[in-house]
Amino acid sequence: MLILFPVTCFKMSKRKSKATSDATAFKSRRLTTVATENAPDDTNHQGPSSSSFTATGDIGLIESISLKNFMCHRSLGPFRFGPNVNFIVGNNGSGKSAILTALIVGLGGKATMTNRGVSLKDFVKTSETAADITVKLRNRGPDAYKKDVYGDYISIEHRIWTDGSRTCKLKNKSGHLVSSKKEELTGILDHFNIQLDNPVSILSQEMSKQFLHSKSESDKYKFFMKATLLEQMRADYVYIKHTKTVTRQQVERQEECLKDLKQEFLQKKERYEKCSSFSELKAVLENLKKAMAWCLVGEKEQLVQQLKERIEKEENNPKHQDNLQLCQTKIRQAEKKLQFIKSRSDSLRDEQKSLSEDSRKLKEQVKIVSKAHKEQELVYFRALNKLKQLEEEQNLLQEKINKAKTSKSVNSEEQKQHRKRQKTLCDLKEKLVELQNKCSQLNQEISNKHQALFKGREERDKLRLEERNVQASVESKLKRKNQLHASRSNKLKRFGDHVPELMALIAEAHTKGRFRKKPIGPIGACIHLNDPTLAVAVECCLRSFMKAFCCDNYKDEAVLQEIMSRFYSKGNRPQIIVSPFSDKLYNIDGRKAYHPEYPSVPDVITATSPVIVNCLVDMRGIESILIIKEKDKARRVMQQGRPPKNCREAFTAEGDQVYPNRYYTSDFSMAKYLGGDLETEISMLESDLENHQAQLSRFQLHVNSVTEDIVRMESSLNSTVVTLKKTLASMNQVKATITELETAVEEQIDDISSLEEVAQENQEKMEAEKRTVQEAKMELDKHRKQAEDADSQYSSLRDRIDQLSEEMEPLKDEQLKLEAECAKHERNLKILENKFKAHEGNVQAMKNDLAQREEELQEYVAKATEISPERQQVTSSTKSIDTEITRLKRKIKVYESSHGEHEQVVREYAEALALYREKANQVRDLRRFIDRLDNIMSDRQNRYKVMRRSLSVRCKLYFSNFLIKMNYCGSMIFDHNNETLAISPDRSSL
C-alpha cells in the first residue's frame, strides 16, 4: 500500500532572501499531495488559523502524474490527486512503487535515491527506447512561482533514454515550453520546499525497513535532526564559525602588513638624506638600451632561422603522403576484388533466382503431367477391364452356342460350367482378401516410414542448430584468443580492438585543447587488484562499468561521443559517466559496509585516480558491497541473521551475487579484463577451441550420417508407394472380375441364330474396344514419358540450384572479409587524411608564424636603427642586459627621489603616515566586529540548543515506538508492501 498525504512543512528563512527577526521563525508552505479520488474543496481542509500555516493546496501540490514505458508498465496513469491523505492500493506489480519512483525521478532525483536501480536506464521498459514521466504541480496564490510565466500549473516532463541520459521540459498551463534547464527545476523545488532527500518528505520501502529494523537510538536521533532541518542549521553554524576563524586569520595577516607600511614610511623619511651624482649611470643606461635593441634583433633573427629550418624539414618529409598513397592503393585493390566478388555473387544469385522461378514452374508442370498420367492410366485400365468383360461375354456366348448345337450333353455341360464359374469366383475372392491385407500392410509401412522420415529430419535440424551454436562459440572464443594475443603488447585491447586507437585520439584531442579535463577510462584499465584471486568477483560486481569512461562535464562528453562514433555504432558504444572530477576521495566511513573478517570492494581495489573510486561509489555503491570468497560463508553472513552494518549485497570469489533474501549464480568462470596470467588463459582458450572444433567435427559427421539415412528412407518410401499403387490396380481388376461373375445372368437361349447374332454384335464391340485400349495405351505411354522427362528436368534443375548455393557460400565469406578489410582501410585512410591535413595545417601555421616573425623582425630592426644607427655586436643575453637596465633604473630612480624637493619628500612622508594610521584603525575595528560576532554566535547557539531540546521532547511524546506515528510538521510519503505505515497528522497540536 502506498500512502501519500500532505502536511504543512516548515521552511527555514535561509532558503529565501527575506530575513526574519526571530531565529526560530519559519515560513509555512504546502508540499506534495496525491489522491486516488476527487478530493473535496480545499476550504474544508484548512488548518487552524495561525500565522504559521497557509491555505491548503496553494502551491507545490501534485495534481497528477502519468508514466509511459516506465519500469515494467507500458502506460500508467494519469493519476489525479487531492490535497488530503491519499491511498494507492493494489496487488504486487500493479505499480504502487513505480509511482513513488517516478515521482522522485520526475522531480530531478538520482536513480540511487529510489533504491530501485543504480542507473536511470534501469527504469526504461524492456524492448523500449525511452520512458516518459509527467508530473503536474499546482501554482496558485500569492506565493506562486513566476505566476505570469507558468500560470496555475507547472508541468514537469522527463524523458529517460536507454543510455542513462534524460531530458527535462518545464511547461506552463497552456502546454508551452518555458525552460529545459536543470537550474530552473531546482529553483522550483526550492521555492516549493520539496526536499527529495529528506526521509520525512519521501520515505521509501528500503529506508523504512532500515529505520524500523534499526535498534540504535543514535540512528533515530540522526533521522530526527535531518527531518527537522536542525542538522542543516548546525552545519550552517559550523560554516559561520569556520568563516569567522578564516576572517580572524586574515586580520592577523593584515597586522603583518602594517609592519611593511611602517617600514615604507621610515624609508621615505630617510630619502632626502642620500644624494649623489648619476650622470654616469645615465650614459651607461643609454649604452645598455642600444645593446638591448640589437640583442633583441639577434634573437629574433635566430628564431626566424630555426622556424625556416623546421618548415623546410616538414615540407621535405614525404612520410604522410606515402602512407596516404599506400592506403589508397590498398583500398583500390580491395574494392576491385570486392567488386569482382560482388559481380560473381550477383550473377550466381540472378541465375539462382531464375532457376528457382523455372523450378517452381517445372514443379507445377510435373504436378499437372503426373495428374494427367494418373487420369489416363485410369482410362486405360477401365477400357482394358471393359475389353476383358466383353471377351468373357463372348466366351460365354460361344459356349452357349456350342451347348445349343450339342443338345445331347446340354445339362451336363451347364452344370460343369456353373461349377467352373463358382470355383473361379472363390479363387478371385481369396485373391482379393490377400490383396486387401497386402494394401493394409503397405499403408502401415508407409505410415511408419513417414514417421521415421519426420523424426530423421527433426534430428537433422536439431543437429544443425547445435552445430551452428558450437560454431558461434568457436568464433567467439577465437575472437577472444586474438584479443588476448594482441593484449600481450597492449593491455587496452582486452577492452576492445579499437580501444588503443580511441585512447590515442583522446590524448590527441586533449593536446589540442578540445577537452577541459582529459576523460579517464576504461575504468577496468584504471583498476588494480590487491588480491588477484578476486578478479571474477570484482568483474561480476562492476559488469558494464569495466568499459565505461568518466568525463568532468557534458561538453567533454559530447566531444568523447563524437570520437567514439568513429569506432562504435550508436547502440554499442561504451558508457560515459559525467561527474565533476575531484582530487580527493569521498569520505565513506559513515556508510561503508563493515565486517571484521571480510573486506568491501574499495578495500580490494586500487585505482589510478580518485575519480574512478568516487564514480563507482556514486554509480554502483561499492562501499556497501562485501567480498566473501566461500559460498557457504557468504550465505551464512548475508542470509542467516541480520547482514553486516551498511551491507547491501556481497559477491563470492566465483562471482555469485548474494542478497539477504536471494542468491544469483554467476555466468562467468574466468576474469575477462582483470585476469593476470595471459598465457594460462590463452592455453585454456586453445584447449576449449580444440574441444569445440572436435565437437563440431562430430556434429558434422553425425549430420552427414543422418542425411544419408534420410535419403535411404525417402528412396524406400517411394518404392513402397509404387508397390502400393500396383497392388491397388490389381485389386481393382479383381473386384471388376468378381462383379462380372456375380452379376452374370444365366440366359437360356434356345435359338442358335439369335445367339450368333448377339455374338456377332459382341465381336464388333470387342474390336472397337480393342482399338480404344490401343489408343489409351499409346496415350498412357505418352503421358508416362512426359512425366519422366519433367521429373528428370526438375531433378537436374534442383541439383543446379544446390550447386549454386554451395558456390555462393565461399563467395559470401570472401565478400564479408573484403568488406571488413575495405572498412578498415577506409578508417585508416580517414585517419591518414586527417593526419595529412593536420600536417599541412601545421606547415601553413608555421609559414604564417614565419611571416609574422619576419614582420616583427623588420620592426625590431627599424626600432634598433632608430636607437643606434650602427649595429652593435652583443655577447650578453637579453635577460642579463634587462636585469642590469632594471637595476640601473631603480638606482637612478632612488637617486632622483633623493634629490627631489623638500616639500615633496615631506608630503610623501605625511601620506605614508596617514595610510599607516588608517590601516591600523581598520584592523582595530575588524577585531571589535569579530569579538561582537563571537557574542552573537554564542547567544544564537544557545537558542539553537534550547529549540533542539524542545523539539526533541515534543517528538519523543508524539513518536512512541514507530516513526510512522510521528505527529510532525513535514510532508511524508511512505512506500511499504501491503502494510499501512502512515497516519494523518493532528495539526491542532502544533
Side-chain angles (χ1 to χ4, degrees):
M1 178 180 292
L2 184 65
I3 305 173
L4 305 97
F5 61 90
V7 185
T8 305
C9 180
F10 288 135
K11 182 174 182 181
M12 286 195 173
S13 59
K14 75 177 189 65
R15 303 281 289 188
K16 293 282 188 177
S17 59
K18 301 177 182 179
T20 59
S21 59
D22 192 354
T24 60
F26 296 95
K27 185 175 182 180
S28 61
R29 190 176 306 280
R30 296 304 291 166
L31 193 59
T32 308
T33 306
V34 183
T36 57
E37 299 179 358
N38 294 328
D41 191 17
D42 291 345
T43 57
N44 297 330
H45 298 277
Q46 294 181 358
S49 58
S50 173
S51 60
S52 299
F53 299 98
T54 61
T56 301
D58 286 342
I59 60 173
L61 185 69
I62 297 180
E63 291 289 341
S64 65
I65 181 170
S66 60
L67 316 177
K68 183 178 180 183
N69 296 330
F70 188 79
M71 294 177 72
C72 59
H73 305 282
R74 182 174 298 278
S75 179
L76 199 62
F79 295 96
R80 303 191 179 277
F81 306 128
N84 298 311
V85 180
N86 299 276
F87 294 82
I88 300 177
V89 296
N91 296 328
N92 290 340
S94 59
K96 303 186 299 299
S97 298
I99 296 173
L100 179 59
T101 303
L103 183 63
I104 296 173
V105 176
L107 293 178
K110 296 182 179 179
T112 54
M113 195 182 298
T114 65
N115 291 324
R116 293 285 176 177
V118 297
S119 177
L120 292 176
K121 64 182 180 181
D122 297 336
F123 299 134
V124 181
K125 190 176 185 294
T126 305
S127 74
E128 298 293 340
T129 59
D132 295 321
I133 304 171
T134 302
V135 181
K136 184 181 288 185
L137 300 179
R138 182 176 294 182
N139 190 39
R140 300 175 183 173
D143 290 336
Y145 181 81
K146 296 182 180 179
K147 182 65 177 293
D148 54 339
V149 177
Y150 288 98
D152 292 340
Y153 300 103
I154 299 176
S155 293
I156 304 172
E157 298 181 1
H158 263 82
R159 171 160 287 189
I160 305 171
W161 304 93
T162 52
D163 59 355
S165 62
R166 65 176 171 183
T167 58
C168 177
K169 294 182 180 179
L170 302 176
K171 297 183 179 181
N172 58 13
K173 181 181 179 181
S174 303
H176 298 298
L177 179 65
V178 176
S179 176
S180 58
K181 295 182 179 180
K182 184 178 180 181
E183 292 78 6
E184 182 72 8
L185 177 59
T186 304
I188 292 173
L189 296 180
D190 286 344
H191 186 83
F192 292 162
N193 196 21
I194 297 177
Q195 303 167 6
L196 299 177
D197 58 346
N198 193 335
V200 174
S201 295
I202 298 178
L203 186 61
S204 64
Q205 181 176 344
E206 294 295 330
M207 188 174 291
S208 65
K209 288 181 179 179
Q210 181 181 355
F211 175 73
L212 293 174
H213 292 167
S214 176
K215 298 181 180 179
S216 176
E217 297 296 332
S218 60
D219 292 341
K220 294 182 179 180
Y221 188 74
K222 290 178 181 178
F223 184 87
F224 159 74
M225 291 290 289
K226 186 175 182 181
T228 57
L229 298 181
L230 291 174
E231 181 69 21
Q232 180 66 33
M233 188 183 296
R234 187 188 65 82
D236 292 341
Y237 284 146
V238 172
Y239 175 74
I240 293 173
K241 287 184 178 181
H242 175 70
T243 306
K244 182 194 68 176
T245 303
V246 173
T247 306
R248 188 183 295 276
Q249 293 174 356
Q250 291 178 352
V251 169
E252 292 175 355
R253 285 194 293 270
Q254 291 295 329
E255 290 178 346
E256 294 293 331
C257 293
L258 285 177
K259 298 179 180 179
D260 297 336
L261 289 176
K262 185 176 182 180
Q263 186 67 25
E264 183 180 357
F265 154 69
L266 295 175
Q267 289 177 357
K268 289 182 178 180
K269 184 179 179 180
E270 297 176 358
R271 279 182 184 177
Y272 69 93
E273 298 176 356
K274 297 180 180 180
C275 296
S276 61
S277 176
F278 53 88
S279 58
E280 184 178 351
L281 294 177
K282 285 187 176 181
V284 174
L285 181 61
E286 289 297 327
N287 293 332
L288 286 175
K289 287 182 179 179
K290 294 177 181 179
M292 183 66 177
W294 286 107
C295 185
L296 291 173
V297 170
E299 288 185 355
K300 288 291 180 181
E301 289 176 346
Q302 186 177 0
L303 291 175
V304 168
Q305 185 62 29
Q306 291 177 356
L307 192 56
K308 286 181 178 179
E309 292 176 357
R310 285 179 59 194
I311 292 173
E312 183 178 0
K313 182 178 178 182
E314 291 294 332
E315 287 179 342
N316 295 331
N317 186 6
K319 176 182 176 182
H320 298 284
Q321 186 69 25
D322 294 343
N323 291 337
L324 190 62
Q325 292 177 356
L326 179 61
C327 187
Q328 291 174 347
T329 303
K330 289 182 179 179
I331 290 177
R332 286 194 295 270
Q333 293 175 354
E335 287 179 347
K336 187 176 180 181
K337 291 181 182 178
L338 181 61
Q339 190 65 31
F340 174 75
I341 294 295
K342 283 184 177 180
S343 62
R344 175 63 178 163
S345 179
D346 291 339
S347 63
L348 291 177
R349 192 178 293 106
D350 294 339
E351 184 179 357
Q352 187 182 23
K353 186 176 180 181
S354 176
L355 291 177
S356 298
E357 185 66 24
D358 295 342
S359 174
R360 185 184 62 79
K361 293 179 180 178
L362 272 177
K363 189 175 181 180
E364 296 293 333
Q365 184 178 355
V366 166
K367 290 182 179 179
I368 295 171
V369 170
S370 177
K371 184 178 180 181
H373 173 260
K374 290 180 180 179
E375 292 176 352
Q376 187 61 35
E377 188 179 24
L378 184 60
V379 171
Y380 169 70
F381 282 120
R382 285 177 179 173
L384 187 62
N385 290 333
K386 190 174 181 181
L387 178 61
K388 288 181 180 181
Q389 184 179 0
L390 290 173
E391 288 178 350
E392 292 288 338
E393 292 177 356
Q394 185 67 20
N395 292 333
L396 292 173
L397 288 172
Q398 191 64 37
E399 289 177 358
K400 289 181 179 181
I401 292 171
N402 293 334
K403 287 179 183 180
K405 288 181 179 180
T406 58
S407 58
K408 293 180 180 180
S409 57
V410 170
N411 295 329
S412 61
E413 288 294 331
E414 287 179 355
Q415 292 176 359
K416 190 183 293 184
Q417 289 294 332
H418 180 71
R419 287 194 298 270
K420 185 178 180 180
R421 283 196 298 271
Q422 290 293 334
K423 185 180 180 181
T424 303
L425 185 62
C426 292
D427 294 337
L428 288 175
K429 287 183 177 180
E430 292 176 359
K431 186 177 181 180
L432 179 62
V433 172
E434 292 177 359
L435 289 174
Q436 287 177 346
N437 294 331
K438 186 177 180 181
C439 285
S440 299
Q441 293 176 359
L442 289 174
N443 284 325
Q444 183 64 32
E445 185 178 355
I446 289 172
S447 177
N448 294 335
K449 289 183 178 180
H450 268 298
Q451 188 175 2
L453 183 61
F454 175 78
K455 290 182 178 179
R457 289 174 177 171
E458 187 177 16
E459 183 181 2
R460 182 182 62 184
D461 295 338
K462 183 178 179 181
L463 289 172
R464 285 180 175 174
L465 178 61
E466 292 178 355
E467 180 185 358
R468 286 195 293 270
N469 292 336
V470 173
Q471 182 68 32
S473 179
V474 168
E475 292 175 357
S476 175
K477 290 184 179 298
L478 187 60
K479 182 178 179 182
R480 177 61 180 166
K481 177 184 173 183
N482 294 334
Q483 284 184 349
L484 291 176
H485 278 294
S487 64
R488 286 175 172 173
S489 58
N490 192 340
K491 292 184 178 180
L492 289 176
K493 287 196 174 182
R494 283 192 172 193
F495 300 88
D497 296 333
H498 306 300
V499 173
E501 300 175 7
L502 175 64
M503 297 301 293
L505 289 179
I506 291 174
E508 183 179 353
H510 178 64
T511 304
K512 293 180 179 180
R514 297 183 63 188
F515 291 107
R516 295 179 183 175
K517 292 185 180 180
K518 183 180 178 182
I520 300 175
I523 289 178
C526 303
I527 291 176
H528 303 285
L529 297 177
N530 301 331
D531 186 358
T533 60
L534 301 178
V536 176
V538 174
E539 281 195 15
C540 290
C541 174
L542 300 183
R543 291 188 179 270
S544 61
F545 292 109
M546 295 294 296
K547 299 174 69 175
F549 284 75
C550 299
C551 282
D552 177 72
N553 53 78
Y554 287 101
K555 178 180 178 297
D556 291 350
E557 181 199 17
V559 177
L560 184 57
Q561 284 184 354
E562 187 269 331
I563 295 174
M564 284 183 174
S565 63
R566 306 179 188 178
F567 306 99
Y568 302 97
S569 59
K570 185 176 180 181
N572 295 326
R573 66 169 178 80
Q575 183 180 358
I576 301 175
I577 303 169
V578 181
S579 179
F581 288 178
S582 175
D583 296 333
K584 295 182 179 179
L585 290 172
Y586 289 161
N587 184 6
I588 58 176
D589 293 337
R591 49 196 174 96
K592 180 179 177 183
Y594 173 78
H595 194 277
E597 297 180 15
Y598 307 112
S600 61
V601 175
D603 297 330
V604 301
I605 64 173
T606 302
T608 58
S609 172
V611 175
I612 299 297
V613 179
N614 293 342
C615 177
L616 292 177
V617 168
D618 289 336
M619 302 300 296
R620 184 63 179 92
I622 60 174
E623 76 280 3
S624 61
I625 302 175
L626 289 178
I627 302 296
I628 306 174
K629 290 185 177 182
E630 293 80 6
K631 295 181 180 179
D632 297 335
K633 294 182 179 179
R635 288 180 182 272
R636 185 172 65 253
V637 171
M638 295 297 296
Q639 297 180 352
Q640 296 180 6
R642 294 189 60 182
K645 182 181 179 181
N646 297 329
C647 181
R648 178 167 49 88
E649 56 184 302
F651 283 87
T652 67
E654 297 177 1
D656 296 348
Q657 192 173 11
V658 187
Y659 286 96
N661 55 353
R662 56 192 184 276
Y663 187 99
Y664 297 107
T665 304
S666 173
D667 297 329
F668 297 97
S669 60
M670 183 179 296
K672 187 176 181 181
Y673 304 105
L674 300 178
D677 193 355
L678 284 176
E679 300 302 328
T680 302
E681 189 171 355
I682 291 172
S683 63
M684 292 179 66
L685 279 175
E686 289 175 349
S687 176
D688 290 343
L689 278 173
E690 291 177 358
N691 294 335
H692 280 77
Q693 289 172 351
Q695 189 177 3
L696 186 62
S697 300
R698 289 196 299 272
F699 275 123
Q700 291 173 349
L701 292 174
H702 197 177
V703 168
N704 294 333
S705 175
V706 172
T707 304
E708 292 174 359
D709 294 339
I710 290 173
V711 172
R712 286 197 297 270
M713 285 189 288
E714 289 176 348
S715 177
S716 176
L717 179 62
N718 293 332
S719 64
T720 306
V721 171
V722 172
T723 304
L724 178 61
K725 289 181 180 179
K726 292 180 179 179
T727 305
L728 289 173
S730 300
M731 190 173 66
N732 291 331
Q733 293 178 3
V734 171
K735 285 182 178 180
T737 305
I738 290 173
T739 302
E740 292 172 359
L741 290 176
E742 287 178 347
T743 59
V745 180
E746 296 290 340
E747 296 180 357
Q748 186 68 29
I749 303 176
D750 297 329
D751 192 2
I752 296 175
S753 60
S754 61
L755 289 174
E756 289 179 348
E757 289 178 359
V758 173
Q760 184 65 30
E761 291 178 358
N762 197 22
Q763 185 66 31
E764 291 176 357
K765 290 181 181 179
M766 285 173 60
E767 294 296 332
E769 197 64 32
K770 284 182 180 180
R771 288 193 296 273
T772 303
V773 169
Q774 289 178 357
E775 291 176 358
K777 176 67 173 174
M778 293 175 63
E779 191 68 22
L780 179 63
D781 294 339
K782 181 179 178 182
H783 282 290
R784 183 184 294 110
K785 190 174 185 309
Q786 289 179 354
E788 291 176 354
D789 293 341
D791 287 336
S792 176
Q793 291 179 4
Y794 180 71
S795 299
S796 62
L797 198 60
R798 292 304 306 171
D799 293 339
R800 178 58 181 166
I801 291 174
D802 294 338
Q803 183 181 359
L804 289 176
S805 298
E806 293 177 357
E807 291 178 1
M808 286 176 65
E809 287 300 325
L811 290 178
K812 288 181 180 178
D813 296 338
E814 186 67 22
Q815 182 177 351
L816 290 175
K817 291 180 181 178
L818 288 174
E819 287 177 351
E821 184 178 354
C822 286
K824 181 180 179 181
H825 288 324
E826 287 176 356
R827 289 196 299 270
N828 293 336
L829 178 63
K830 191 174 181 181
I831 294 172
L832 291 174
E833 287 177 348
N834 292 334
K835 288 183 179 180
F836 184 70
K837 290 179 181 178
H839 171 70
E840 290 181 343
N842 188 21
V843 172
Q844 186 62 36
M846 287 192 294
K847 287 183 179 179
N848 296 335
D849 190 16
L850 176 61
Q852 184 179 359
R853 289 181 182 274
E854 286 179 346
E855 292 179 359
E856 292 178 358
L857 177 61
Q858 295 298 328
E859 293 178 358
Y860 273 77
V861 170
K863 290 180 181 179
T865 304
E866 291 178 1
I867 295 173
S868 176
E870 295 182 1
R871 180 159 184 164
Q872 298 184 7
Q873 298 297 327
V874 183
T875 58
S876 302
S877 64
T878 55
K879 185 176 181 181
S880 61
I881 296 175
D882 184 64
T883 302
E884 186 66 21
I885 290 174
T886 303
R887 187 183 65 81
L888 288 176
K889 283 183 177 180
R890 189 182 297 111
K891 192 172 182 179
I892 290 172
K893 186 177 180 181
V894 171
Y895 287 163
E896 286 178 348
S897 61
S898 299
H899 288 77
E901 295 180 358
H902 180 70
E903 294 179 358
Q904 181 179 358
V905 174
V906 173
R907 186 172 61 255
E908 290 179 356
Y909 169 71
E911 290 175 355
L913 180 61
L915 179 62
Y916 171 70
R917 290 178 177 176
E918 181 183 359
K919 292 296 181 181
N921 293 332
Q922 289 178 358
V923 170
R924 185 178 64 253
D925 293 340
L926 282 175
R927 278 201 167 277
R928 291 176 179 175
F929 173 75
I930 291 173
D931 294 338
R932 184 180 179 188
L933 182 61
D934 282 338
N935 296 331
I936 294 173
M937 287 302 300
S938 177
D939 181 64
R940 287 292 182 97
Q941 193 166 10
N942 291 333
R943 295 186 181 186
Y944 161 76
K945 291 178 181 180
V946 171
M947 182 179 68
R948 182 181 62 186
R949 188 179 301 109
S950 175
L951 287 175
S952 300
V953 171
R954 293 173 66 189
C955 289
K956 185 176 180 181
L957 293 175
Y958 295 133
F959 265 64
S960 68
N961 293 326
F962 296 94
L963 178 63
I964 56 175
K965 296 180 180 180
M966 180 181 69
N967 189 0
Y968 172 69
C969 298
S971 175
M972 302 189 68
I973 301 176
F974 290 88
D975 177 17
H976 201 278
N977 196 14
N978 295 328
E979 293 185 16
T980 302
L981 292 179
I983 59 173
S984 180
D986 182 10
R987 283 184 284 177
S988 61
S989 62
L990 299 178

